[in-house]
Amino acid sequence: MKAYEGLKVVDFTQVLAGPISTQMFSLLGADVIKIEAPVKGDQLRTTLSDAEMVAKRLSPAFLTVNLGKRSLAIDLKSEEGRKIVYRLIDDADVVVENFRPGVAKKLGIDYESVKQRKPEIVYCSISGYGQKGPRSGDKAYDSAIQAASGLFTLNGSEESGPMRIGIMVIDMFTGMNAAFAISSALYRREKTGKGQYVDVAMYDSALMLAAAQMADFMVRGNVPPLIGNESPTRQPTAGVFETQDGIVLIATITPAHNIAMLKAAELEHLLDDPRFATFEARQANLREGLEIVGEAMKTKTTADWIKIMSEAGVVVQAVRTLAEATTDPQLQHRGIVVEAENVRGFDKALRLVGAPFIANEDSPQNAVSPPGEVGQHTEEILRELGYDDDDIAKITSPKET
């Protein structure tokens, strides 16, 4: 039995942060009902993709954060739509929304309204800056939060200047924070019998991601320099280096690591050079050291250096392409990349990223069902709620909001 079998989640979220949080519950057995606007559906269905995927309304990004959910297409602005939602909530355990602050209240599905019907509900709101406060109304996307939180200034080099992180790191981390917050509220409910409202913000999540650097600034006033691919240890034995046929990353933290790396690179003589003999000296002469080490690294292949450094106890990895990373045998062994079969519009199983952990029993990778088309499960869900054929025909008549 998976951890959340028997749990029902009413999911009003779209794009990335909200959907990845509710997907964690669907992968662990919960019945997650994704509420979507008729015809259009979640806006992520038609973004971050090409024309073919847009036409199917199943973009890769949408597919990978909506595994295992059922799609119910209704107009939340209509009286009938709200009635359906209320009936769903009456039998639900969790409600998750990521509307702009205030929108859920206008729709009559905010926490206070839902709590009156179901006091024990666990209700989660996800937004850019939180539900209240001077910035609560600001629009937010991943890159905007990266800029506002200072993450830009922790990424990049002196040449490039501050840069955004190239993945939707805030969205995804916020979603995982939300999943943890909801799980905590459910555990609390088991002990107290009481529901809870949790308010999750992308801005808060961004600060948590950079907590170590934030603490260094708030405690010591230290503003870290833009170091690009260089190591924060400021040692010439660590960083990204070209090889004969590629690029490797070498990580050395302690003086013992630095010495081991220099010996493995046949640069042990530098330890007798006053410029590089000590940890502090190597920091002071970083540029010269990086140039010497960099030239040495070009003398062998990536495979050679991985073998040599690994045998010396030095952390080393090739800088790989996505094609190389996603075909690593370790992924097949772990089962983190799952295959979604029978996705409408595709003649083959789709490889997608599932839950980022495995369990010895009832692991979230087991029996993964694919995301559906907009409203694919509408009739099925309405029948479960007691609607007859005539009612369903009226509710599902083609319309776009």
Side-chain angles (χ1 to χ4, degrees), residues 82-359:
R82 285 191 291 273
K83 286 180 180 178
I84 294 170
V85 165
Y86 294 150
R87 290 173 70 166
L88 277 174
I89 290 172
D90 286 343
D91 191 38
D93 300 279
V94 178
V95 171
V96 190
E97 60 91 4
N98 66 346
F99 299 113
R100 291 192 311 276
V103 171
K105 185 173 183 178
K106 289 180 181 178
L107 293 171
I109 53 174
D110 58 303
Y111 174 61
E112 291 302 325
S113 300
V114 170
K115 182 183 177 183
Q116 290 180 12
R117 299 181 64 93
K118 188 104 183 231
E120 68 272 26
I121 199 76
V122 169
Y123 190 113
C124 177
S125 294
I126 303 171
S127 63
Y129 297 92
Q131 297 300 302
K132 295 181 180 179
R135 300 201 67 172
S136 63
D138 288 5
K139 293 183 178 179
Y141 279 114
D142 190 289
S143 56
I145 297 294
Q146 287 191 38
S149 65
L151 288 193
F152 266 59
T153 66
L154 301 175
N155 194 44
S157 64
E158 291 181 2
E159 293 75 22
S160 69
M163 294 185 70
R164 72 180 293 271
I165 300 168
I167 58 175
M168 281 71 169
V169 62
I170 307 300
D171 278 325
M172 302 304 278
F173 188 62
T174 301
M176 298 305 288
N177 283 347
F180 175 72
I182 295 165
S183 295
S184 300
L186 288 168
Y187 183 65
R188 175 181 178 271
R189 189 176 72 181
E190 284 294 307
K191 295 192 293 183
T192 67
K194 297 179 180 179
Q196 193 174 37
Y197 177 69
V198 290
D199 178 352
V200 179
M202 295 169 68
Y203 189 66
D204 303 346
S205 297
L207 295 186
M208 184 64 195
L209 267 174
Q213 290 84 354
M214 292 293 179
D216 197 23
F217 171 73
M218 292 186 287
V219 173
R220 295 196 302 147
N222 183 52
V223 178
L226 291 173
I227 60 174
N229 287 328
E230 294 173 7
S231 169
T233 64
R234 315 307 289 148
Q235 291 290 299
T237 54
V240 174
F241 302 98
E242 290 184 27
T243 67
Q244 278 186 356
D245 60 354
I247 305 172
V248 294
L249 178 285
I250 294 179
T252 57
I253 305 299
T254 69
H257 295 156
N258 306 144
I259 294 169
M261 188 277 177
L262 290 174
K263 289 181 177 180
E266 299 180 356
L267 295 171
E268 188 174 358
H269 63 276
L270 293 180
L271 297 172
D272 297 322
D273 187 322
R275 296 172 300 168
F276 310 112
T278 67
F279 192 90
E280 293 74 20
R282 290 190 292 273
Q283 285 185 324
N285 296 283
L286 176 64
R287 295 292 164 218
E288 291 177 82
L290 284 172
E291 185 174 343
I292 294 170
V293 173
E295 288 302 313
M297 296 299 293
K298 293 177 183 177
T299 63
K300 290 182 174 62
T301 66
T302 295
D304 289 338
W305 284 124
I306 289 176
K307 183 176 186 296
I308 291 167
M309 292 295 168
S310 296
E311 289 177 348
V314 176
V315 175
V316 59
Q317 281 294 328
V319 176
R320 302 194 298 180
T321 64
L322 293 180
E324 292 168 328
T326 55
T327 54
D328 192 313
Q330 183 68 11
L331 282 180
Q332 182 175 355
H333 174 77
R334 297 279 296 172
I336 302 304
V337 172
V338 299
E339 289 195 351
E341 298 180 348
N342 303 316
V343 182
R344 292 191 185 184
F346 296 90
D347 57 6
K348 63 179 181 180
L350 303 180
R351 297 179 71 233
L352 301 166
V353 178
F357 64 92
I358 60 177

Side-chain angles (χ1 to χ4, degrees), residues 12 35-38 74-79 81-82 85 99 107 109 401:
F12 294 102
I35 310 298
E36 300 191 75
I74 54 172
D75 180 6
L76 290 176
K77 297 178 182 178
S78 70
E79 183 178 350
R82 285 191 291 273
V85 165
F99 299 113
L107 293 171
I109 53 174
T401 59

